Amino acid sequence: MRCWLLLTFLFSFSLLSAQNKPLLYNVDDLPQSLLLNPGTQIDFIGHVGMPFLTQIHVSAGTSGVSLHDIFRDDGTNINTRIREAMHKMTSYDHFTANEQVEVISLGWQLDKRNYLSTGVYQELDFFSYFPKDLAILVNEGNADYINDTFDFSQAAFTGEILTVYHLGLNHQFDQRLTVGIRGKLYSGIFNAETTGNTGTFTTFETPQGPNKYRHVVENMNVRVNTSGFASLNEEKDMTVEEGTAELLKRSFFGGNVGVGMDIGLSYLLTEQFVASASVQDIGLMFQREDVESYHYYGSYQTDGLEPLFPELDENGKALPYWDDFEDEVDRNLIDRTYNEAYVTWRPAKFNLAMAYGFGQAFLPCNYRTVNKVRYMNQIGMNLSGILRPRGFVYAFTTYWDKKITETQRFRIAHTIDDYSFANLGLMYSTTFNRFNFYIAANNLLAVPNLAKARGASLQLGMQMVFKD
């Protein structure tokens, strides 16, 4: 049963489709590039997104295991394959999933140097390290791991669903430098996290002691914070419609709120070289409504249930040895539930990029474009990262961007990340009479056998883009 619980967990995240936003980074004729770098160069003067269709993005990845590792047909028992996968992974392997839907998106040119953009999007973000020690302990027990230490600090995950309201300004300082800033207001729908845990569990051999083994829990301090979960969990008879209405209410500043910002810039080094950088989601959330936290802490050691024949009390009845043992455990390993506000930080992201244009195009130039000379081709590289509980998770992307015509372009990219060393992605964008459609996907080499894929992403949208 424990194996199947673990299998369900791995399977659910392997099915999700990993994040490769660099496919849209610094694409100058797509408004979505402003969400990745508010200081990017752009060549449009206005845009209006299709409600709920401007951007739909889903991505996920597992750095240590795939469906093929579990379900491969090699004649072995599935429990054996699960055990092998668990032992192959490390406590730094992780599972991640992200989803974004733009509800509203629009922007307009204020003057020749300034472009204002605003909108609303909903986001789900989940990240969990693989708690290897705890998974092995639950699945296999401690019989084969005498004198080995199981570390509670490996349990670390963050998960949230929220709505983001944003307003950004893209400003062209001169012919070389463009900078941007975006302010954000967050409205929390759901949050769960556990980070910074401590403690160990060890079973020692004690041949000279009262029992053969001694079990020791030392300095355990584990806390799980939640917001937006307790009230839904208590409403046993809540219908789907009532639950949906409650979640929608929280989308509009229902109590758990936060603030953040994005900053970015682009700088023309030469006529053909452009350098850019951005940082997104420098912000925090104040979780103060519908909060519930579970805290487990303490130290304890036991030599087990020693007496085979419990002692008798003065009335000739057996002492409640098991009840006394439970009371002793409860006094030392304490379980508490709190309803206290807490603060969470958004997972900050960064991008560093360099691009080189070639193949001069004799196409109409837009006066908002920093680089007056336009190029049909661009090659570039992008280093991106996202901050997680134990540090940044990185990805390195190289790409070739090709303008087929004034209204069509594609970008083919190769990404090296924690999920693959051969991650091939493709973006295509086309515009017809100001109506734009784009689609971007990665890990295309895994399409013939998705079971072997450890990560993938899909992003698409449609909008009106005005260039004159």
Side-chain angles (χ1 to χ4, degrees), residues 149-325:
T149 296
F150 296 91
D151 190 353
F152 295 135
S153 69
Q154 293 180 2
F157 68 81
T158 61
E160 62 183 345
I161 306 174
L162 72 165
T163 303
V164 182
Y165 301 81
H166 60 88
L167 177 67
L169 180 67
N170 177 279
H171 175 72
Q172 177 185 323
F173 268 100
D174 53 35
Q175 294 297 308
R176 290 185 178 275
L177 178 63
T178 302
V179 300
I181 187 170
R182 181 173 306 281
K184 293 182 172 180
L185 294 176
Y186 306 119
S187 178
I189 300 173
F190 170 82
N191 176 267
E193 65 152 22
T194 179
T195 59
N197 298 314
T198 63
T200 59
F201 170 73
T202 311
T203 299
F204 296 100
E205 282 188 299
T206 55
Q208 306 303 320
N211 203 343
K212 186 176 180 179
Y213 301 108
R214 175 169 295 167
H215 311 284
V216 179
V217 176
E218 187 173 10
N219 298 323
M220 182 179 70
N221 191 348
V222 177
R223 180 161 177 154
V224 180
N225 296 320
T226 71
S227 70
F229 170 75
S231 61
L232 295 178
N233 189 47
E234 292 170 358
E235 295 292 339
K236 303 298 183 182
D237 299 324
M238 179 179 287
T239 64
V240 174
E241 292 78 8
E242 291 171 338
T244 302
E246 175 64 24
L247 294 178
L248 288 174
K249 183 176 69 174
R250 296 178 187 176
S251 301
F252 299 95
F253 302 106
N256 298 317
V257 297
V259 293
M261 63 181 297
D262 303 342
I263 56 175
L265 61 87
S266 297
Y267 187 76
L268 193 63
L269 299 172
T270 70
E271 188 176 84
Q272 292 175 272
F273 278 102
V274 179
S276 64
S278 68
V279 182
Q280 305 158 248
D281 283 315
I282 309 170
L284 70 168
M285 290 284 298
F286 301 94
Q287 312 289 351
R288 57 189 184 185
E289 296 290 335
D290 196 21
V291 296
E292 191 165 271
S293 300
Y294 314 101
H295 193 193
Y296 310 91
Y297 61 98
S299 297
Y300 183 65
Q301 69 178 36
T302 177
D303 293 302
L305 301 179
E306 179 183 348
L308 296 176
F309 301 99
E311 298 179 8
L312 302 180
D313 62 15
E314 61 274 10
N315 298 318
K317 295 182 179 180
L319 294 175
Y321 184 83
W322 179 253
D323 292 337
D324 291 343
F325 175 73

Side-chain angles (χ1 to χ4, degrees), residues 20-37 40 54-57 102 382 399 401 411 413 426-429 438-441 459-461 463:
N20 192 19
K21 289 292 186 68
L23 280 171
L24 298 184
Y25 184 79
N26 279 355
V27 179
D28 59 5
D29 53 8
L30 284 181
Q32 284 65 39
S33 64
L34 289 168
L35 292 177
L36 302 175
N37 180 6
T40 192
T54 307
Q55 177 180 222
I56 300 173
H57 168 83
E102 281 196 69
N382 181 301
Y399 65 85
D401 192 302
R411 175 178 289 188
L426 181 66
M427 183 279 299
Y428 174 77
S429 172
Y438 68 91
I439 184 169
Q459 188 167 356
L460 57 88
Q463 59 209 320

